[in-house]
């Protein structure tokens, strides 16, 4: 795709004669015989320049050559990275076939739990991990999700991402793929990152005496990385614009309402993610919550916007209807200049206007809808309780569940805003980030350095609101917000029923099971519970 976009864009810029294509300049066809050429008819090859003339145009434009050189360097980097990944994937394939006895053609028939069970059994027989005899399910998750757990914990403790208060828009949480890539480069795998390899934090990061020096070094690295992003901003911005155009232009023409569809934001995926939750587990959970979340967000309507959309749709639809009738009556109407453009744009306007008109049969019950969402996503700030009908709650939910148009706009703005965030906003948090890694890193034998929140230890990171008296020793700084430790523990125990949790966590789970059994005994029979209701959805989830 990258090669195609670069080649096709260069062709459009330098190898097409647009005056000929738009018939702004008469074209003299070479012809033989007495027949006069048809000067009004222009074919597509007539507008394409010969290869030597095209190459001459490219050489004459220095900025095109510069962008092509930058694109070639990036493509070579990606090629080397892909080749290295292919070698790793080949080793993984060989491991599955020879060690786990799972053939390639039958891989899709195995669940993750079956693969994990074979891996644990193989460790008992061959002891691949030499530092410990038994591998647990939690050890495997820790190895796979080492960096993810750190990121989820930093989002949970509001250390990342950076929040802004924009006039007229209110509080904004900005996290894009580009910013996330830079953060991972800074913290995990870059040349000056806090981790010295894939499994071990730098020794000086664990010493309290070196915290200020480390923070200064990290802040300096943030500024330098921001300056590098600033230098590359034009190239990245051009690529983002081109890729967005080629990706979404046809979709917008075919389905204009798709921009009004919603998706879980990158910030939302980190905020709602459990500790030790694999990608496919998170995707399945958020997919179950997609329809309830869409219904909740669509339950908020603006009467003024509805009236405006109805009138705009009526006016645009009336003009469109007349144009369609005229083209049906006489197809020569289509040859009138810009008539097809007008029909296309009017169709887009009508479709967009309809997306702002709510269903007249919708019943407004935001509290029940939000409970359905909670049954699947599992996380909700305390102040949302009883305030589902407030616009503030909807605005905060929109940060987690954003319009696709907002996602595209954020990605387009990312090359401009990411350098500014790295240079001006993040350095102030360097000391807090260094303290976080020092305070919440533990070394596990056979696994390496991991985030302590990922151990699912309610005694050290539990929330008193979720636990009985004396079950946790965590201070406000040590405890996870919104009951993430407890909810992650429940999720992991249900996903991995053979896992043996530590005693404090096992005590919490046993108390929880007793409470669930008491609630189930007092609840109506299962056949009376509607699957679509919040209680049924919660039980099934």
């Amino acid at each position: 795709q990258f090669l195609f976009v670069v080649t096709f864009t260069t062709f459009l810029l330098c190898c097409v004669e647009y005056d000929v294509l738009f018939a702004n300049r008469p074209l003299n066809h070479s012809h033989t015989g007495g027949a006069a050429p048809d000067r009004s008819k222009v074919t597509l090859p007539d507008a394409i320049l010969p290869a030597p003339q095209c190459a001459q145009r490219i050489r004459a434009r220095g900025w095109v050559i510069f962008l092509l050189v930058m694109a070639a360097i990036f493509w070579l980097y990606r090629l080397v990275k892909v080749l290295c990944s292919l070698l790793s994937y080949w080793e993984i394939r060989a491991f599955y076939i020879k060690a786990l006895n799972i053939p390639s053609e039958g891989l899709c028939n195995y669940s993750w739990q079956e693969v994990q069970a074979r891996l644990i059994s193989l460790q008992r027989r061959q002891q691949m991990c030499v530092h410990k005899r038994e591998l647990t399910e939690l050890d495997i998750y820790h190895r796979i999700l080492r960096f993810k757990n750190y990121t989820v914990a930093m989002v949970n403790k509001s250390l990342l991402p950076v929040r802004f208060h924009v006039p007229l828009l209110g509080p904004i949480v900005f996290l894009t793929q580009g910013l996330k890539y830079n953060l991972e480069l800074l913290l995990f795998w870059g040349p000056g990152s806090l981790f010295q390899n894939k499994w071990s934090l730098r020794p000086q990061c664990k010493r309290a005496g070196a915290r200020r020096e480390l923070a200064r070094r990290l802040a300096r690295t943030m500024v330098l990385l921001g300056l590098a992003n600033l230098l590359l901003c034009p190239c990245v911005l051009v690529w983002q614009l081109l890729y967005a155009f080629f990706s979404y232009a046809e979709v917008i023409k075919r389905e204009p309402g798709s921009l009004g569809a919603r998706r879980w934001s990158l910030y939302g995926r980190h905020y709602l993610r459990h500790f030790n939750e694999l990608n496919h587990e998170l995707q399945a959970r958020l997919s179950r919550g997609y329809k309830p979340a869409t219904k909740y967000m669509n339950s908020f309507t603006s009467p003024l916007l509805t009236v405006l959309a109805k009138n705009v749709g009526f006016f645009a639809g009336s003009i469109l209807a007349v144009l369609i009738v005229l083209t049906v009556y006489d197809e020569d109407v289509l040859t009138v200049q810009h008539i097809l453009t007008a029909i296309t744009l009017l169709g887009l306007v009508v479709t967009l206007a309809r997306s702002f008109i709510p269903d007249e049969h919708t019943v407004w019950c935001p509290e029940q809808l939000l409970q359905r969402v909670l049954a699947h996503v599992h996380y909700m700030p305390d102040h949302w309780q009883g305030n589902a009908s407030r616009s503030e709650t909807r605005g905060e939910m929109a940060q987690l569940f954003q319009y696709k148009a907002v996602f595209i706009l954020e990605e387009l703005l990312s090359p401009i805003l990411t350098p500014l965030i790295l240079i001006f906003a993040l350095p102030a948090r360097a000391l807090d980030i260094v303290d976080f890694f020092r305070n919440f890193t533990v070394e596990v034998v056979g696994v390496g350095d991991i985030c302590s929140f990922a151990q699912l230890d309610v005694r050290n990171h539990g929330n008193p609101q979720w636990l009985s008296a004396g079950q946790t020793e965590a201070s406000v700084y040590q405890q996870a917000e919104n009951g993430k430790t407890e909810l992650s523990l429940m999720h992991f125990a249900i996903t991995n029923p053979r896992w043996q949790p530590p005693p404090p966590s096992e005590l919490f789970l046993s108390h929880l099971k007793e409470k669930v059994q008491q609630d189930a005994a007092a609840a109506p029979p299962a056949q009376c519970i509607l699957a679509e209701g919040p209680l049924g959805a919660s039980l099934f989830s």
Side-chain angles (χ1 to χ4, degrees), residues 80-106:
V80 172
K81 198 171 180 181
V82 165
L83 291 177
C84 293
S85 297
L86 284 175
L87 294 176
S88 299
Y89 296 153
W90 186 263
E91 290 182 0
I92 293 172
R93 179 180 181 275
F95 180 79
Y96 266 71
I97 295 173
K98 297 177 181 177
L100 299 182
N101 294 320
I102 299 177
S104 298
E105 59 274 9

Side-chain angles (χ1 to χ4, degrees), residues 28-37 39:
N28 292 322
H29 291 274
S30 58
H31 59 283
T32 57
R39 297 179 181 272

Side-chain angles (χ1 to χ4, degrees), residues 5 43 75 80 85 138 160 231 268 297 339 351 366 426 437 457 480 497 505:
V5 169
T43 61
W75 184 79
V80 172
S85 297
L138 196 59
L160 293 175
L231 289 174
M297 298 301 289
I339 198 70
T351 307
L426 271 183
F437 276 87
D457 188 353
S505 300

Side-chain angles (χ1 to χ4, degrees), residues 264 283-295 369 372-377 397 401:
W264 295 105
Q283 184 60 42
R285 189 162 58 85
L286 294 185
S287 296
R288 289 194 296 268
Y290 181 85
K291 285 186 177 180
T294 302
K295 288 181 180 179
L369 290 173
R372 287 190 189 180
V373 178
L374 179 64
H376 299 292
V377 302
M397 181 66 181
F401 196 56

Side-chain angles (χ1 to χ4, degrees), residues 315-377:
F315 298 143
S318 301
I319 300 171
L320 180 62
V322 171
L323 292 178
I324 291 174
V325 169
L326 289 175
T327 55
V328 171
Y329 177 74
D330 189 347
E331 63 182 14
D332 289 338
V333 175
L334 292 174
T335 62
V336 177
Q337 194 174 22
H338 301 313
I339 198 70
L340 278 175
T341 305
I343 292 175
T344 303
L345 290 178
L346 287 169
L348 288 173
V349 171
V350 170
T351 307
L352 286 173
R354 284 177 181 171
S355 67
F356 288 101
I357 301 174
D359 184 2
E360 60 182 5
H361 303 295
T362 299
V363 179
W364 199 62
C365 48
E367 290 291 347
Q368 292 185 17
L369 290 173
L370 191 58
Q371 287 299 319
R372 287 190 189 180
V373 178
L374 179 64
H376 299 292
V377 302

Side-chain angles (χ1 to χ4, degrees), residues 489-540:
L489 173 61
M490 286 188 273
H491 176 267
F492 192 83
I494 292 171
T495 308
N496 301 275
R498 297 180 181 178
W499 174 63
Q500 185 64 37
S505 300
E506 190 170 15
L507 180 63
F508 166 76
L509 289 173
S510 63
H511 287 174
L512 180 70
K513 288 177 182 177
E514 292 175 5
K515 178 65 176 173
V516 169
Q517 289 172 355
Q518 292 173 7
D519 291 347
Q527 60 268 25
C528 298
I529 300 175
L530 292 175
E532 288 295 319
L535 178 58
S538 181
L539 288 175
F540 287 130

Side-chain angles (χ1 to χ4, degrees), residues 243-257:
Y243 190 77
F245 174 76
F246 288 126
S247 298
Y248 300 111
E250 190 275 333
V251 176
I252 293 172
K253 178 184 177 299
R254 180 166 37 89
E255 299 178 30

Side-chain angles (χ1 to χ4, degrees), residues 2 71-85 181:
F2 181 78
I73 293 172
F74 177 75
W75 184 79
L76 289 174
Y77 162 74
R78 291 289 298 172
L79 179 64
V80 172
K81 198 171 180 181
V82 165
L83 291 177
C84 293
S85 297
Y181 178 86

